[in-house]
Amino acid sequence: MTASTHQSPSVTASTVEEISEGLGEPDWLTEIRLEAFEAHDELPQPEVIHTPGRRWTNLDDVDPAALADPDQSASAKDRIEADGAEVLAWAEAVDQHPEVIEEHFGSVVDPQRDSFTALSTALFSAGTLVYVPSGQAAEDVTIRTSMGARSLFNYTLVVAEESASVTVLERQSSAATDATDRYYSGVVEAVAGENASIEYGTLQNLDSDTTALGVKAGEADRHGTIDWFEGNLGGGLVKASVETTLAGDGSETRIVGAFFGHDDQHVDVASRVDHEAEHTTADLVTRGVLDDRARSVYEGVQNVGREAWDTSSFQRENTLMLSDTSEADASPKLIINNHDTEASHSATVGQVDSEDLFYMTSRSIPDQAARDMLVEGFFEPVLDEVTLDELREDIRALIADRLETR
């Protein structure tokens, strides 16, 4: 893989130290940032699917270091707290819960996972801690990010202690700026303790000039649950990875995704679950629509470990293409190392069903209206999986807007 070879002269190790000092971080965290910054130029790019003669997502032209803007103050971030949870900006989190950060920061997402993640670790300033103490329940935590700078490096740590629960809804959008080439990086780590539950929904609606790369990863302890709901409607080149490690007996996860690509968008969606304990359950569901010259890449991995007895793991991915110039590729994978497993995976790519379209137009529904209704109906099975009502309705509204502007 190709490593990033260009480094913005405006971003140096001193920049990293200034960010860390400004947030009041302890020495150990500053050191992690500096090590990540030093390593990022030599680390490989994020993994993408390769087949002979072809790389399904080309990141060679993406150089986050060249786009890195040390001043990220033009971006805004709103955090709406809910009863039962503390939702803290990073400086507050460092001051009030240093022990929580030291225990969990980097515990799920390796700060040097790849070159892009390492740079994000080094430069993030818009950090958030969502902390739910043992036995507490919190609903409707909301995080809104409005990107007004050339670059934004975002980080969120969610910790739900034993028997705690929390629902988080994150929105990402663009604000007006003169920059025509922008870069967004988001890292989310989620830690669900024993018998704890985390529901994390994201709606990415950045403008088409923005390259957006995100990594969300969670680890669930015994009887813990982590559910991810991922909506990708915006961005130019988008690469979104969502992963759960089922580390405790009886732990569960759902990874639900929806995307709608148009113009020349490239959407790369990766879902992964690692079954490491007994009696674990996973359900991965993704649906996407492509129009114009848009392209999608989907990779889903269900990895069942040797000690993962009595595993249930299911995966479905469906893509609907509205134009002859759109393109979709899918690669669902099962890796099974324990015979006591019930698992399945499937992926389909197709166009609007001609019989369904004939049925509707024969009942006096205009052709375009009938096609739009079929597209909206195509998303319904996956939207029905989204338990966060506000996120589900927002995705529906954006899909309707997208169809109206075709």
Side-chain angles (χ1 to χ4, degrees), residues 82-137:
D83 290 343
E86 294 183 61
V87 184
L88 303 172
W90 197 244
E92 297 173 319
V94 167
D95 179 59
Q96 298 180 28
H97 293 291
E99 72 293 344
V100 174
I101 293 174
E102 184 165 10
E103 180 178 358
H104 297 294
F105 182 86
S107 64
V108 185
V109 178
D110 183 351
Q112 298 187 28
R113 166 189 172 112
D114 52 58
S115 60
F116 291 11
T117 303
L119 189 68
S120 191
T121 299
L123 297 179
F124 83 85
S125 59
T128 300
L129 170 66
V130 179
Y131 173 55
V132 190
S134 177
Q136 297 293 309

Side-chain angles (χ1 to χ4, degrees), residues 29-212:
L29 187 47
T30 306
E31 192 60 30
I32 288 177
R33 284 180 179 267
L34 288 170
E35 290 173 355
F37 182 75
E38 184 176 348
H40 89 273
D41 209 29
E42 302 299 326
L43 290 169
Q45 290 182 344
E47 292 186 2
V48 297
I49 299 177
H50 285 80
T51 50
R54 186 180 188 189
R55 182 184 297 175
W56 290 15
T57 295
N58 185 2
L59 298 175
D60 287 348
D61 295 331
V62 180
D63 191 347
L67 293 173
D69 186 347
D71 182 9
Q72 300 174 48
S73 60
S75 296
K77 195 164 185 175
D78 294 330
R79 303 171 179 86
I80 300 176
E81 196 166 287
D83 290 343
E86 294 183 61
V87 184
L88 303 172
W90 197 244
E92 297 173 319
V94 167
D95 179 59
Q96 298 180 28
H97 293 291
E99 72 293 344
V100 174
I101 293 174
E102 184 165 10
E103 180 178 358
H104 297 294
F105 182 86
S107 64
V108 185
V109 178
D110 183 351
Q112 298 187 28
R113 166 189 172 112
D114 52 58
S115 60
F116 291 11
T117 303
L119 189 68
S120 191
T121 299
L123 297 179
F124 83 85
S125 59
T128 300
L129 170 66
V130 179
Y131 173 55
V132 190
S134 177
Q136 297 293 309
E139 296 183 355
D140 300 328
V141 170
T142 303
I143 302 171
R144 301 191 188 99
T145 300
S146 177
M147 182 176 172
R150 186 179 62 183
S151 66
L152 179 62
F153 299 91
N154 211 348
Y155 174 80
T156 303
L157 174 63
V158 183
V159 178
E161 294 184 334
E162 182 178 346
S163 300
S165 65
V166 63
T167 62
V168 182
L169 175 55
E170 178 187 18
R171 290 187 178 84
Q172 300 148 6
S173 60
S174 298
T177 176
D178 294 333
T180 56
D181 191 9
R182 301 202 276 179
Y183 178 76
Y184 173 88
S185 173
V187 176
V188 177
E189 293 188 279
V191 181
E194 182 173 340
N195 201 38
S197 173
I198 296 173
E199 292 182 303
Y200 197 102
T202 302
L203 180 54
Q204 182 271 115
N205 193 31
L206 297 163
D207 67 28
S208 59
D209 291 329
T210 304
T211 297

Side-chain angles (χ1 to χ4, degrees), residues 58 165 207 228 246 269 331:
N58 185 2
S165 65
D207 67 28
W228 304 99
L246 299 175
V269 176
S331 177

